[in-house]
Amino acid sequence: MAHSKDIKKKDSFGPEKVKLEQQIKELEDKLARSLADYVNLEKRHGEQHQLFATLAIAAFITQMLEVLDDLQLAYQHLPDPGLKMAIDHFLSVLKNQGLEEVKAKDEFFNPETMECVAPVDGVDNKVIEVKRPGYLLNGQCLRPAQVFVGKTVK
């Protein structure tokens, strides 16, 4: 007799047990989604932080290129060995940050890394002269080279 009483007690917990198990499953699903959202948020935050740092460095180096232009112009007018050494050191520091000069002289015109100042007599689409050097930062064009591009006169 006691045995049949125990069975009835177990049966009376059945619907409540199923309901509680369903709530547990829902809460576990919510927890799993929340953890996935948190991981995605951390990843997105890291990417945004990296993008901000990259943009800040690019903006700073762009300003430093103006200083480099001025130093190089000064060296053209006053070819002092000390000034040349300072320019070379300055370029070395910028190169360590991922800066590289766009190769333009005697190359074919590339609109992604060059800006045509004017067409001049010469081989079609070939860079004849560089007015202002261009630079890439980590492979991306930071400042296009200003160039004179050849154009065959007919």
Side-chain angles (χ1 to χ4, degrees):
M1 248 301 190
H3 186 262
S4 65
K5 248 184 178 180
D6 290 340
I7 293 175
K8 285 184 179 179
K9 277 186 179 179
K10 286 182 183 177
D11 288 342
S12 67
F13 288 122
E16 190 174 321
K17 181 180 177 185
V18 169
K19 184 178 177 184
L20 289 174
E21 286 174 345
Q22 185 178 4
Q23 285 179 339
I24 289 171
K25 184 174 171 33
E26 288 173 5
L27 289 172
E28 286 174 341
D29 288 345
K30 284 182 179 180
L31 176 63
R33 281 194 299 274
S34 295
L35 288 173
D37 287 345
Y38 179 73
V39 168
N40 289 336
L41 178 65
E42 274 189 331
K43 182 180 174 184
R44 192 168 48 247
H45 176 71
E47 290 169 352
Q48 288 175 344
H49 181 75
Q50 181 62 39
L51 177 63
F52 176 77
T54 302
L55 292 174
I57 289 169
F60 177 73
I61 289 179
T62 299
Q63 290 178 342
M64 292 297 99
L65 289 178
E66 294 174 19
V67 175
L68 178 63
D69 290 340
D70 291 343
L71 290 172
Q72 289 173 330
L73 185 60
Y75 181 74
Q76 288 176 356
H77 294 288
L78 180 67
D80 181 70
L83 182 56
K84 176 67 172 146
M85 195 168 65
I87 291 170
D88 290 343
H89 184 235
F90 191 60
L91 271 170
S92 173
V93 170
L94 293 176
K95 285 180 182 178
N96 286 339
Q97 295 301 312
L99 189 75
E100 61 182 290
E101 189 171 335
V102 171
K103 291 174 180 56
K105 180 81 168 141
D106 297 325
E107 299 286 328
F108 283 101
F109 179 74
N110 179 353
E112 293 179 9
T113 58
M114 300 173 197
E115 182 180 288
C116 181
V117 175
V120 294
D121 289 342
V123 178
D124 266 349
N125 262 352
K126 200 151 195 178
V127 174
I128 306 302
E129 183 184 337
V130 177
K131 179 179 179 188
R132 184 184 77 180
Y135 294 94
L136 304 173
L137 182 61
N138 299 317
Q140 299 291 319
C141 187
L142 185 63
R143 179 176 87 177
Q146 291 182 342
V147 298
F148 293 96
V149 180
K151 183 173 183 170
T152 307
V153 178
K154 294 181 181 179

